Amino acid sequence: MSRIAVIGSGYVGLVSGACLADFGNHVMCVDNNEGKIEALKKGIIPIFEPGLDDVVARNASAGRLSFSTDLGAAVRGSEVVFIAVGTPPADDGSADLRYVEAVARAVAGAMDGYRVIVDKSTVPVGTARKVRGWIAEELARRGAGIGFDVVSNPEFLREGSAVLDFTHPDRVVIGAESERARSAMKDVYRALYLGETPFIETELETAEMIKYASNAFLAVKITFINEVANLCERVGANVQDVARAMGKDGRIGAKFLHPGPGYGGSCFPKDTQAMARTGRDHGEALSIVETTIEANERQKARMVDKIENGLGGKGSLKGKTIAVLGLAFKPNTDDMRDAPAIAICEGLAARGAGIRAWDPEAMKEAAWRLADIKANLEFAKDEYDAMTGADALVLVTEWNQFRTLDFGRVKGLLKAPVFFDLRNVYKRPDVEAAGFRYFGVGQ
Ligand code: NAD
């Protein structure tokens, strides 16, 4: 059992903290957002993440998980301190490390003895050494001769299945420089260490690189199949069959071969940018990653063109009402950071369309993330309300409940039976048989 402080209680901090408590550790989750901590103390989970409420409730009532705004107390009461604050993109695409630096310095200000400080946030190669420098600087300023280690332990969880991913990871990566730190991390992850989970122990820079290389590779894979889909549209091939056949090749694998409106979310867009930036800074341009970033932007814009073309070409969106289903960047989350739905809704609005949008979980997020187009936007009560009186239906995020639409009812509600299925959820013949004009991606 380890005593752990997790600083930053967002998607990653809260899931990590709750699951580490579930492994038997004693965890205090800290955030400087008082509202968030007050809510968590009352058992209210500020994000939508399946299963998280149970893990939090179970461990809070067992006394293994607590919440606080008091970083100092959390650091003094722990052996291992996780930094899990945000690392959003700065204007130049690099990762903005100001929150990480603030926390590292605050941790050093509170340390009263040896600690292991763990970078859980996704941070560019070289950051662990910077964290070590910031901590050393603060300790020197205090005149405190206290030992510490910095560890890089990147997180690979996916929103929407975060609890499962954290508790059943494909691998745990630990970048460390001392046996003492490695052994502390083994204690933290003892529940996994005793099982089948592969542990990959590296030096700091390698651990940091693993995270960026993994995310960038996945973004490249998505973008590759998106470009193949676009070509399929030109040459009359069906990307669904292409992807299925490709995926059967064990060297390729079936995952992340789903064409769509482009990747979004809190990780791929910013991590690809940050990695590309690191490459440029070191004179080793990552041309595939650079191209992926551009192609992904084009893919989102292409969806707006697709809808306009489907409705009659240039100018045809003016005055039309478009029903948009799904706003979160993927199903099972309320996260809309860099969601393709934002670019698509903004693009539709810029061409004069009105939008009736609905998402099962992201409506609160959408209210402020789509504030720029609020003159063109109405929020619906559910999927069928969104389509009522609309000129076309656009499925942007493939929530399960959108997989079984009642097309008879849909047809009765829409002004015209036109369906843009940007996730290829449906089969063309089925939708056409129901009397619709159907537009997928790459088919
Ligand atoms: P988030 O924005 O949801 O959470 C960050 C939290 O840190 C917020 O609650 C914020 O209030 C808090 N915070 C900021 N400064 C603080 C301070 N000085 N003291 C205490 N709390 C502070 O971000 P997230 O999605 O959890 O991402 C965190 C990191 O994890 C990022 O680097 C991200 O790239 C990485 N990551 C995210 C995911 C994901 O799926 N979201 C997956 C893997 C890795």
Side-chain angles (χ1 to χ4, degrees):
M1 187 279 286
S2 306
R3 287 176 304 138
I4 297 170
V6 179
I7 318 297
S9 304
Y11 282 87
V12 164
L14 183 56
V15 171
S16 304
C19 293
L20 288 171
D22 218 39
F23 292 164
N25 298 299
H26 273 257
V27 180
M28 182 173 279
C29 283
V30 175
D31 207 285
N32 59 2
N33 179 330
E34 285 177 20
K36 197 175 264 194
I37 292 300
E38 277 320 304
L40 284 165
K41 281 182 176 167
K42 291 187 198 131
I44 301 165
I45 310 294
I47 53 171
F48 176 75
E49 185 58 52
L52 182 57
D53 46 358
D54 285 347
V55 186
V56 169
R58 185 167 64 242
N59 288 283
S61 71
R64 285 189 299 266
L65 179 64
S66 58
F67 302 98
S68 174
T69 53
D70 189 346
L71 181 146
V75 170
R76 284 186 293 275
S78 62
E79 295 146 349
V80 179
V81 182
F82 280 78
I83 303 178
V85 293
T87 47
D91 290 340
D92 63 358
S94 64
D96 183 347
L97 292 177
R98 87 179 81 161
Y99 307 105
V100 173
E101 177 173 354
V103 169
R105 290 189 186 277
V107 168
M111 276 163 56
D112 56 0
Y114 175 84
R115 293 290 181 286
V116 176
I117 296 105
V118 184
D119 283 345
K120 190 52 133 174
S121 300
T122 301
V123 287
V125 177
T127 303
R129 278 184 210 284
K130 283 189 186 161
V131 168
R132 192 163 69 190
W134 293 324
I135 293 172
E137 217 174 275
E138 285 305 312
L139 290 174
R141 214 176 42 78
R142 282 174 55 197
I146 299 174
F148 68 96
D149 276 300
V150 174
V151 166
S152 169
N153 172 222
E155 182 49 52
F156 300 93
L157 65 79
R158 297 163 298 174
E159 287 176 23
S161 53
V163 170
L164 189 74
D165 288 346
F166 195 93
T167 51
H168 298 79
D170 291 334
R171 75 297 210 192
V172 173
V173 174
I174 293 176
E177 294 194 304
S178 80
E179 204 36 58
R180 189 173 182 186
R182 273 189 283 273
S183 144
M185 293 305 286
K186 272 174 205 163
D187 284 342
V188 164
Y189 285 108
R190 183 145 313 275
L192 298 179
Y193 205 75
L194 298 172
E196 303 279 297
T197 306
F199 274 69
I200 297 173
E201 295 185 6
T202 71
E203 65 274 26
L204 297 172
E205 284 77 9
T206 306
E208 292 170 332
M209 182 64 88
I210 288 168
K211 174 66 188 172
Y212 279 98
S214 302
N215 270 6
F217 186 84
L218 294 172
V220 168
K221 199 171 174 191
I222 294 172
T223 305
F224 179 81
I225 200 66
N226 281 341
E227 291 208 316
V228 171
N230 298 343
L231 183 57
C232 283
E233 288 179 6
R234 298 276 179 202
V235 300
N238 185 336
V239 75
Q240 293 297 96
D241 295 335
V242 174
R244 199 169 66 246
M246 282 175 68
K248 294 288 177 207
D249 186 326
R251 295 167 303 175
I252 297 174
K255 290 186 179 160
F256 280 73
L257 279 185
H258 304 289
Y263 60 77
S266 64
C267 292
F268 291 173
K270 82 172 171 59
D271 294 350
T272 45
Q273 276 190 40
M275 193 184 195
R277 174 79 207 187
T278 305
R280 267 179 267 136
D281 286 348
H282 289 81
E284 288 292 348
L286 294 158
S287 54
I288 293 181
V289 179
E290 303 267 9
T291 304
T292 292
I293 295 167
E294 286 168 28
N296 193 58
E297 288 307 309
R298 283 199 299 274
Q299 190 70 8
K300 290 188 271 183
R302 193 184 166 96
M303 296 302 115
V304 179
D305 292 340
K306 179 191 280 294
I307 296 164
E308 188 173 53
N309 291 337
L311 291 177
K314 226 174 167 36
S316 63
L317 280 167
K318 210 168 172 50
K320 295 259 166 49
T321 301
I322 310 296
V324 172
L325 298 192
L327 300 169
F329 84 93
K330 66 173 177 179
N332 291 321
T333 182
D334 57 354
D335 200 339
M336 274 187 70
R337 286 178 279 187
D338 268 315
I342 299 175
I344 293 168
C345 289
E346 287 179 351
L348 293 171
R351 295 184 198 181
I355 294 153
R356 285 178 65 78
W358 193 67
D359 185 281
E361 293 294 338
M363 298 304 270
K364 214 167 114 194
E365 280 288 299
W368 69 273
R369 292 210 184 256
L370 295 174
D372 286 352
I373 55 160
K374 65 170 183 276
N376 294 52
L377 179 68
E378 263 183 90
F379 288 122
K381 290 196 290 287
D382 60 33
E383 56 268 56
Y384 292 103
D385 183 39
M387 347 174 158
T388 305
D391 296 279
L393 173 61
V394 181
L395 195 162
V396 179
T397 311
E398 69 281 30
W399 285 89
N400 269 341
Q401 65 204 80
F402 303 155
R403 291 179 181 274
T404 51
L405 291 174
D406 172 352
F407 278 103
R409 188 171 168 201
V410 174
K411 204 170 164 198
L413 293 173
L414 286 170
K415 253 195 243 161
V418 187
F419 180 33
F420 298 90
D421 177 6
L422 304 188
R423 298 287 180 174
N424 288 351
V425 165
Y426 289 92
K427 293 203 172 15
R428 174 189 295 282
D430 298 346
V431 185
E432 287 182 344
F436 281 77
R437 288 174 63 218
Y438 177 82
F439 300 87
V441 178
Q443 35 163 335

